[in-house]
Amino acid sequence: MEALLQWKSTFINQTSLLLPSWNRNSTNGTISPCKWYGITCNDDGIITELDLAGLGLQGALHDLNFASFSNLVRLDLSDNKIFGFIPSQIGSLSKLTHLYLLNNSISGFIPQEIGNLHSLTNLWLSFNQLNGSIPSSICNLTNLIGFSVRSNNLSGIIPRDIGNLKSLSALFLSSNTFTGSIPTSLNNLTNLRRLFLHENHLSGSIPQDIGNLRSLYHLSLYMNKLTGSIPTSVGNLRNVTQFSLSDNQLSGSLPSEFGNLTMLTLLSVDSNSLSGSIPASIGYCIELTYLNLGNNNFSGGIPNELANAGLLEYLQLNDNNLSGTLSSSFGKLQHLKVLNLADNYVEGNILSEFGSLYDLQILSLRSNKFSGSIPEEIANLHELRILDLSQNNLSGLIPRNIGNLRKLLNRLEDISQITYYASENVELNMVIKGITAPLPIFLSYTSAIDLSSNSIEGNIPMEIGSLKGLYMLNLSHNHFSGDIPANVGDMSGLESLDLSWNKLSGNIPQSLTSMDSLGFMNLSYNKLSGKIPEGTHFETLSWDGSVFIGNNLLCGSPTKNVCKGDQSIGSTNAVAKDDQEDADEGLLFYGVIAMGFVVGFWGLFFVLLLKKEKWWTVYWETVDSVAVGIACRTKKKL
């Protein structure tokens, strides 16, 4: 009891509500704290469990006298604000089976003495600030079922003898800075179900016998520096449901043995250097919902067998060297939410069957060789919020039923249909406000239509103005003609508008000046004419005039062209200004004369008044002469 009260007294956040039962008066005259909150005792009144998880405790772990709890079986201090280091005395808890210290602020090394806890089955130290390496003594804990140090600052290599822990079911070493290779002894962990080594600096190859881990259902090795090929033995992992190798330096082909993994729901090997064709056997993974093969060097056609994976929701094959045409069997993927084929060499028409993918929210076919017109069936995609068909060879008109894209009629409120994991891993680059950048699809307001860099012609349909929830519209580098629809100004959610490099004519609609949400606009290189509308916010979009460059018939600020009506007004103002300047000069002339006369006349008058009388005659003759001269000159000027 004294050890517990002493530890409590060191807490920073001392309040009457913090463990109120922990006091001497609460034990009914006895000295046993067995009725205190979070404490469990055995029949002999000896403390065996200390469970204080999630209480917000702020104290140092090393202030707890572990020597006083030699019979402790379970210690759970998780989800608090415990700080300090793990004391070596913890190794004296020889009966301890469960140690949970996760989600605190514990720092320092993991002590070697922790390897003395031979009864330990669960050791969870994740989400702390631990540093140093994993002590080799950990490999002595042969009863361990769960071991997690994820999200710390640990470094060094993974202990080579970790394969001794043959009872392990969960091994979480992710989000640290471990280096070196994956120990081959891991292949001995035949009871392992979850293996998380992602977000480290691991190098070398994937162990060839990784297929021995037949109990494995979640393997995560992404964001390391792994090289070499993917072992064909992965085909033995028939229980695996999630398999992620993305963001490494893997090469070679994608093993056809993946087709054996009929329980697989997620396969992510994106951002590597894999090559060859996509194996048709992937279609046998009938439980697959997420497939990401993007950012590799895959070539050849997209196998028709993919349509057999009828539960697919996220399909990303972007940034490869895929070619050929698409099969109409894509229409069978009725659950697709994201289809990203961007930056490949796929050709042919855009499938009208896409119109039957009613759950589709993101369709990106940018930078391919698609031709023909945009199928009207696209407008059937009522959940669609991102449509990117840019940089293709599309022609024809924009379907006039584009206003049927219901998801874009109003500002998006949520993204409930896209899971957090998928939103973090959907790779989507678009031209945003004139710059190619990743589009943050996880933000609820994100919506976009990009049809730029094609050969689409005709008028911009008025129906597009009904898409008031659209965030970005890019129709640049096409052959659009006619006027800019005035109701584009009704698109109250629009933040980026690019209509540059077309053949648009007529006046710029005044309604554009009321679009306060607009942060980027480009109308350059068209055939627009007339006066540029004025508006406080509108003028901030192009202080240098670049928005309007290449439209020689536009006039008004910020161009140097003066509008006709403004020119006549300017001439009238110039004449009036000249007349005013002449009048000012006349007043100045007469004022100078008058002042000179007054000063000269009266100055000399007073001087002569003091002199002899003979000067009076000469003086008045001079005055008469000057007066006559002034009169003559004034008459002449008038």
Side-chain angles (χ1 to χ4, degrees):
M1 180 177 71
E2 293 300 328
L4 293 174
L5 292 176
Q6 174 60 32
W7 188 46
K8 178 187 176 183
S9 68
T10 65
F11 291 168
I12 296 175
N13 53 336
Q14 292 287 340
T15 67
S16 58
L17 299 178
L18 182 67
L19 298 174
S21 62
W22 282 33
N23 61 77
R24 291 181 177 85
N25 297 327
S26 66
T27 59
N28 297 322
T30 68
I31 61 173
S32 173
C34 293
K35 294 184 179 180
W36 289 1
Y37 179 87
I39 292 177
T40 301
C41 298
N42 60 17
D43 293 339
D44 297 326
I46 298 173
I47 296 176
T48 56
E49 296 185 17
L50 182 58
D51 189 348
L52 302 175
L55 299 180
L57 304 179
Q58 298 183 47
L61 183 63
H62 55 265
D63 285 337
L64 178 61
N65 185 4
F66 287 99
S68 300
F69 306 98
S70 58
N71 292 289
L72 203 62
V73 174
R74 178 187 176 92
L75 175 60
D76 190 352
L77 301 178
S78 58
D79 299 307
N80 282 290
K81 298 178 182 179
I82 304 295
F83 55 88
F85 57 89
I86 302 174
S88 59
Q89 289 85 350
I90 201 169
S92 64
L93 304 179
S94 58
K95 297 181 181 180
L96 198 65
T97 60
H98 294 74
L99 177 56
Y100 298 107
L101 302 179
L102 64 152
N103 201 18
N104 281 286
S105 299
I106 301 170
S107 57
F109 298 160
I110 301 173
Q112 281 282 353
E113 289 78 4
I114 209 164
N116 297 332
L117 305 178
H118 297 291
S119 299
L120 206 59
T121 60
N122 284 276
L123 176 57
W124 297 81
L125 307 177
S126 49
F127 299 101
N128 278 288
Q129 300 168 19
L130 296 170
N131 52 43
S133 59
I134 297 177
S136 58
S137 61
I138 286 286
C139 301
N140 299 331
L141 305 179
T142 54
N143 290 312
L144 266 187
I145 296 174
F147 176 43
S148 176
V149 291
R150 64 186 298 191
S151 298
N152 277 284
N153 300 315
L154 296 170
S155 57
I157 64 171
I158 299 173
R160 295 305 174 202
D161 294 328
I162 201 164
N164 294 344
L165 308 180
K166 295 182 180 181
S167 298
L168 266 184
S169 173
L171 178 58
F172 299 158
L173 308 182
S174 56
S175 301
N176 283 284
T177 57
F178 291 119
T179 55
S181 59
I182 300 174
T184 56
S185 66
L186 273 178
N187 298 330
N188 299 330
L189 304 180
T190 54
N191 291 309
L192 199 62
R193 304 190 68 194
R194 291 181 291 173
L195 176 59
F196 290 4
L197 303 181
H198 58 265
E199 295 182 3
N200 279 291
H201 298 155
L202 298 174
S203 57
S205 58
I206 300 172
Q208 289 298 312
D209 294 328
I210 198 169
N212 292 347
L213 306 180
R214 297 176 185 269
S215 299
L216 203 64
Y217 74 83
H218 194 165
L219 175 61
S220 184
L221 305 179
Y222 68 87
M223 290 187 70
N224 278 289
K225 299 179 180 179
L226 299 174
T227 56
S229 59
I230 301 173
T232 57
S233 66
V234 297
N236 297 329
L237 305 176
R238 296 177 183 269
N239 291 311
V240 77
T241 60
Q242 297 189 42
F243 195 113
S244 179
L245 302 176
S246 59
D247 289 285
N248 278 286
Q249 301 167 19
L250 299 170
S251 56
S253 60
L254 190 67
S256 60
E257 286 78 4
F258 271 111
N260 298 337
L261 310 184
T262 55
M263 302 292 290
L264 197 63
T265 62
L266 181 148
L267 176 58
S268 179
V269 297
D270 59 288
S271 302
N272 281 285
S273 298
L274 299 171
S275 57
S277 59
I278 298 174
S281 59
I282 293 292
Y284 299 141
C285 301
I286 56 175
E287 299 293 328
L288 202 60
T289 60
Y290 182 96
L291 176 61
N292 192 345
L293 310 182
N295 285 291
N296 280 287
N297 298 316
F298 290 116
S299 57
I302 299 173
N304 298 338
E305 289 79 2
L306 273 182
N308 296 331
L311 298 180
L312 264 178
E313 297 181 9
Y314 306 92
L315 177 57
Q316 296 189 95
L317 307 178
N318 55 287
D319 294 276
N320 280 289
N321 298 314
L322 299 172
S323 57
T325 59
L326 297 180
S327 168
S328 59
S329 60
F330 262 90
K332 297 179 180 179
L333 299 176
Q334 292 291 304
H335 298 284
L336 266 186
K337 295 178 181 177
V338 175
L339 176 57
N340 187 357
L341 305 180
D343 294 286
N344 281 288
Y345 300 97
V346 183
E347 56 189 5
N349 293 337
I350 296 176
L351 298 176
S352 60
E353 285 80 4
F354 283 158
S356 64
L357 306 180
Y358 300 119
D359 290 336
L360 199 63
Q361 296 186 47
I362 297 174
L363 175 59
S364 179
L365 307 179
R366 75 187 301 266
S367 191
N368 277 281
K369 295 184 176 181
F370 288 106
S371 56
S373 59
I374 302 172
E376 292 188 356
E377 289 81 0
I378 291 291
N380 296 334
L381 304 177
H382 296 160
E383 297 297 323
L384 194 68
R385 61 189 184 95
I386 296 176
L387 174 63
D388 190 352
L389 307 180
S390 63
Q391 301 179 43
N392 280 286
N393 300 317
L394 299 174
S395 56
L397 310 175
I398 295 180
R400 294 201 171 274
N401 61 350
I402 195 170
N404 293 343
L405 298 175
R406 296 178 186 173
K407 199 71 172 182
L408 302 178
L409 295 180
N410 298 292
R411 197 70 162 181
L412 295 172
E413 296 296 333
D414 61 73
I415 52 170
S416 57
Q417 294 188 13
I418 289 186
T419 64
Y420 174 78
Y421 179 85
S423 67
E424 287 290 300
N425 291 275
V426 172
E427 302 168 3
L428 201 63
N429 289 324
M430 295 189 73
V431 178
I432 308 171
K433 299 183 179 181
I435 301 173
T436 301
L439 190 67
I441 71 149
F442 53 86
L443 298 178
S444 61
Y445 62 77
T446 303
S447 57
I449 292 179
D450 190 347
L451 308 180
S452 63
S453 300
N454 281 287
S455 298
I456 306 173
E457 56 190 1
N459 295 340
I460 298 174
M462 290 186 60
E463 290 77 5
I464 208 167
S466 63
L467 305 180
K468 298 180 181 180
L470 197 62
Y471 165 75
M472 188 271 283
L473 176 62
N474 190 350
L475 304 180
S476 65
H477 295 271
N478 278 287
H479 303 307
F480 291 113
S481 57
D483 296 343
I484 299 174
N487 65 345
V488 168
D490 297 335
M491 302 173 74
S492 54
L494 205 61
E495 296 188 23
S496 178
L497 174 63
D498 194 344
L499 304 179
S500 63
W501 293 95
N502 280 288
K503 300 177 181 178
L504 298 170
S505 57
N507 295 337
I508 298 173
Q510 181 68 35
S511 60
L512 296 187
T513 63
S514 63
M515 301 177 69
D516 293 337
S517 62
L518 206 59
F520 173 84
M521 181 179 68
N522 193 352
L523 306 179
S524 63
Y525 297 100
N526 278 286
K527 297 181 179 180
L528 299 170
S529 59
K531 185 176 181 179
I532 296 174
E534 296 178 354
T536 304
H537 177 67
F538 195 72
E539 292 172 0
T540 64
L541 297 176
S542 182
W543 58 272
D544 61 351
S546 59
V547 166
F548 308 109
I549 194 171
N551 292 280
N552 298 329
L553 299 180
L554 285 176
C555 60
S557 179
T559 71
K560 296 181 180 180
N561 299 335
V562 179
C563 299
K564 290 184 179 180
D566 294 342
Q567 190 173 15
S568 61
I569 294 173
S571 299
T572 303
N573 290 340
V575 171
K577 184 177 180 180
D578 291 342
D579 291 344
Q580 182 64 39
E581 289 177 352
D582 290 342
D584 293 342
E585 289 178 359
L587 289 174
L588 180 61
F589 174 75
Y590 296 130
V592 171
I593 291 176
M595 183 175 290
F597 176 78
V598 170
V599 173
F601 176 82
W602 289 107
L604 187 56
F605 176 80
F606 285 112
V607 171
L608 295 179
L609 187 63
L610 302 174
K611 302 295 181 180
K612 295 181 181 181
E613 190 178 10
K614 64 180 180 180
W615 292 100
W616 282 94
T617 302
V618 178
Y619 171 73
W620 289 113
E621 288 178 352
T622 302
V623 170
D624 288 342
S625 176
V626 171
V628 171
I630 290 172
C632 291
R633 291 190 180 191
T634 301
K635 183 176 181 181
K636 183 176 181 181
K637 186 171 183 66
L638 296 173

